Amino acid sequence: MAAPRTARERARAELTRDIKDVALRQIAGSGAAGLSLRGISRELGMVSSAIYRYFPSRDDLLTAMLIDFYSELADALWAAQDTIAAEATRTSAGFRRRWVTVCTAMRDWALAHPHQFTLLYGTPVPGYRAPVDTTVPAERVMTAFSGIVDEAARAGLFTSVRALPDGESGLVGQLTAAGSLLGEQIPPEVLARTVAGLAQVIGMITLELGGHFVGGFEPADALFEHAATRLAETIER
Amino acid sequence: MAAPRTARERARAELTRDIKDVALRQIAGSGAAGLSLRGISRELGMVSSAIYRYFPSRDDLLTAMLIDFYSELADALWAAQDTIAAEATRTSAGFRRRWVTVCTAMRDWALAHPHQFTLLYGTPVPGYRAPVDTTVPAERVMTAFSGIVDEAARAGLFTSVRALPDGESGLVGQLTAAGSLLGEQIPPEVLARTVAGLAQVIGMITLELGGHFVGGFEPADALFEHAATRLAETIER
DNA sequence: CGAGAAGCGAGAGCGGCGCTCTCGTCTGGA
DNA sequence: TCCAGACGAGAGCGCCGCTCTCGCTTCTCG
């Protein structure tokens, strides 16, 4: 993103921002499926075809939003961690507290931005396939979790972990390969639990947002916190 | 569903079936968002407005499909259990094996019917809210999991479970209330783990279907089976 | 500084969608 | 046998994503 020099470039950058702003409001209001280029252009007082000068297709606009949302979520998770970063994560209690904090931060963000969350982790939009540009911010979300585990591993918290049997499944290979991207110190068996744990967090939020808890576990605050706490224990031993 | 007597009734029942069949193909092919009443009518050689004699809106057709899919998934889960039903679930090993079997059956069904699965557990369709008719078959899916746990509880497998502290959160109350619908024998703390476990299974399948594992854990067979196995252990103690 | 290139918005138009309403026809029960 | 109700056809409403052409403006480069 070079600084806009000419008036044309400045106008273009501004309009691009405006389009994304309106798109954000549309998604926050009625979901990604309600995102309409015609609606945006109407709100911006321009003709629908003009939008295509800025985003060649609806999916490109969606991709831009996707990147924004991943980044926003990742920021929220890292910010939540920082509130207790002063406390070292060298102890078991510290690790657990930090893990639960990040899990809760994810749920809070999801409840505050349900449509954004479902766009990230819900049903992929029909013909849409997320381009590689989105994987970088998406990984920042993942590392918000794995970072905690990595730090705890460096502190030597996972000594009594039963080693994974390295069968012909290639699981250990997958895990060590993935682990080298996230932090060398995470033992494969611990990384497996971390991924499963993240899946559980996303699953519970998805179920809650999808209304699968109504009439049973609504509000799900207590259930969620309980599950996150147990998750931390599970990861650890 | 009374048996059709007149020719009119027979024709109506048949056409209703045909519409659902075509709708199923459309969803299986391009997802729920690609479901189009016009497309169905075209394939059926009739004019689009005629469809509305049978389903008053697109959402009503979606509801009918939803009920079918929940039932289909529940059937698959129960069928998978039945293959090892001869073996009693009185032992710890039996319980774990049965749990993993049902988890795997769910993943298998989801991989074979990705669009159906995402319709059930993915992003809710925009303005659509599932009517109560869908909760009955949806609960059959839940009970496919909780039934195993209930049986294990009856066999006295969960004796050494640390009791949940009954704080002011009301979690124990929620769990006992929900438990009374699923099987009186499940201790609240075990039910909490069961729900969290189901959330993890759904979460991992969602991530896999959403392509969040590509480049890291694809294929996810080994990771999934490992997670399901650990889940069974976690539920038990 | 002036001409050509490139960027831009407006407008018309394509085919698609869900859904509504009207109209003639057919069917089945009283 | 007759008539109410169910039915399919067709036209139409407003929405959508996307394309193409046409003039106007802005920038760049000789």
Side-chain angles (χ1 to χ4, degrees), chain A residues 128-153:
Chain A
Y128 178 76
R129 203 74 200 162
V132 277
D133 316 40
T134 62
T135 59
V136 174
E139 266 174 16
R140 274 190 65 221
V141 175
M142 174 67 186
T143 52
F145 288 85
S146 67
I148 303 174
V149 181
D150 188 43
E151 233 177 76

Side-chain angles (χ1 to χ4, degrees), chain B residues 140-187:
Chain B
R140 273 189 65 220
V141 173
M142 175 65 187
T143 52
F145 288 85
S146 67
I148 303 173
V149 181
D150 188 42
E151 233 177 76
R154 285 175 202 277
L157 279 186
F158 307 131
T159 50
S160 63
V161 169
R162 183 184 49 186
L164 258 181
D166 193 357
E168 65 284 358
S169 66
L171 179 56
V172 174
Q174 281 183 339
L175 288 165
T176 33
S180 66
L181 300 170
L182 301 170
E184 289 287 359
Q185 304 296 323
I186 306 178

